[in-house]
Amino acid sequence: TLEASLANHTHVSTDESLLGELSKAAHRAYRQLVESEGFMQYFLEATPIREIARLNIGSRPASRKTLESIKDLRAIPWVFAWTQIRLMLPAWLGTGTAINQVHGQHQNTLNEMLEQWPYFQTLIDMLEMVLSKSDADIALYYESHLTQDQDLKNLGVELRQRLQNAVDTLLSLKGESKLLSNNEVLDQSMQVRKPYLLPLHLLQAELMKRRRLYLAEHQTEHSPVDHALMVSIAGIAAGLRNTG
């Protein structure tokens, strides 16, 4: 804190106004997608938000009222659910679109911000860290396992493409060919943990499917796989070191 407060940093004259422009563009793209038809249904079917809400793993309910509207969701379960399926959507949605909109016209300024402004450096580094933990193939596995609705599958294709676009945009901005090129420690850590996470994801998707079928058949709120599902949720969160 002392270093950040007292050290002399070169200030890019247009950085704050450009960051405001980026923020507005990202916000528009974010709202446009999450408020689109079918998005909430995709969230309910493809992620474990229902399971998170019913399992007692938090200090407060997952939503203020019901799970039928995004505006009623609490922030932590919203992020947690997307993290569990490795789509990490709240962290990057809108970001790639926003940077693409200004990159051509303000490329030099963005480069200066990345080199000289610690706040922007940290923002991009955090985005890179989250994107490195995302996995479109795992997200697709949850989707294929948990929904047969073709419209929702089409939405999933769009979400995964947007994820790839965000990765490509970030790499272009940083002038790198792969994520975490300059963070060998985190990159190696993730490479070690990913093989252990994969079977947990496969197991969780199967447990979610079995639990939902059991609840629908027996008209109850609990199933024989509840404990195993809770263990898988905790295991994935521990392996990713991100919960929401």
Side-chain angles (χ1 to χ4, degrees):
T1 301
L2 289 172
E3 182 182 1
S5 302
L6 301 177
N8 292 322
H9 296 293
T10 303
H11 187 72
V12 183
S13 59
T14 59
D15 53 15
E16 293 180 9
S17 61
L18 184 56
L19 194 63
E21 185 178 342
L22 286 167
S23 177
K24 291 178 182 178
H27 181 257
R28 285 194 301 269
Y30 190 100
R31 290 290 295 267
Q32 182 180 17
L33 183 64
V34 301
E35 294 175 357
S36 64
E37 184 178 359
F39 180 85
M40 187 62 184
Q41 191 60 34
Y42 183 92
F43 176 60
L44 292 174
E45 292 194 22
T47 78
I49 183 61
R50 286 194 177 107
E51 289 69 26
I52 291 170
R54 292 181 178 180
L55 298 174
N56 296 320
I57 59 174
S59 60
R60 294 188 296 176
S63 62
R64 294 172 180 84
K65 296 179 182 179
T66 67
L67 281 176
E68 302 305 317
S69 173
I70 289 178
K71 67 180 181 180
D72 293 329
L73 284 168
R74 297 188 186 277
I76 292 177
W78 162 252
V79 180
F80 196 177
W82 290 112
T83 301
Q84 288 283 303
I85 70 168
R86 300 286 285 281
L87 200 57
M88 310 295 197
L89 181 138
W92 55 261
L93 180 59
T95 305
T97 301
I99 294 176
N100 271 330
Q101 287 182 10
V102 304
H103 191 250
Q105 185 178 357
H106 300 283
Q107 182 174 353
N108 291 336
T109 303
L110 286 172
N111 290 338
E112 290 178 5
M113 290 165 63
L114 195 58
E115 293 172 3
Q116 302 173 14
W117 194 13
Y119 173 81
F120 191 67
Q121 294 167 3
T122 301
L123 184 68
I124 296 301
D125 286 346
M126 291 294 290
L127 176 60
E128 183 176 21
M129 179 272 292
V130 175
L131 287 174
S132 73
K133 296 181 179 182
S134 64
D135 192 311
D137 290 334
I138 289 177
L140 174 59
Y141 183 81
Y142 279 87
E143 175 192 300
S144 62
H145 217 61
L146 297 168
T147 182
Q148 300 304 317
D149 189 310
Q150 189 57 48
D151 289 336
L152 297 186
K153 289 178 179 290
N154 292 339
L155 177 57
V157 172
E158 180 182 355
L159 293 178
R160 290 186 293 277
Q161 183 58 56
R162 291 198 183 207
L163 170 61
Q164 185 58 53
N165 292 344
V167 172
D168 293 342
T169 297
L170 181 69
L171 293 176
S172 176
L173 177 64
K174 299 192 70 173
E176 298 173 355
S177 59
K178 64 183 290 288
L179 296 172
L180 301 179
S181 295
N182 294 319
N183 193 336
E184 185 178 349
V185 173
L186 180 57
D187 185 37
Q188 184 176 2
S189 176
M190 280 306 300
Q191 295 309 317
V192 169
R193 283 181 274 146
K194 282 180 178 179
Y196 296 94
L197 284 165
L198 180 58
L200 286 176
H201 287 295
L202 302 181
L203 177 63
Q204 184 184 81
E206 177 63 24
L207 291 171
M208 288 169 61
K209 183 176 182 179
R210 293 188 184 188
R211 184 177 193 273
R212 292 175 183 182
L213 289 173
Y214 184 91
L215 297 186
E217 181 180 350
H218 294 84
Q219 296 297 308
T220 180
E221 294 184 358
H222 302 285
S223 80
V225 302
D226 285 358
H227 179 70
L229 182 56
M230 184 167 62
V231 171
S232 75
I233 291 174
I236 292 170
L240 289 172
R241 299 181 183 176
N242 288 92
T243 61

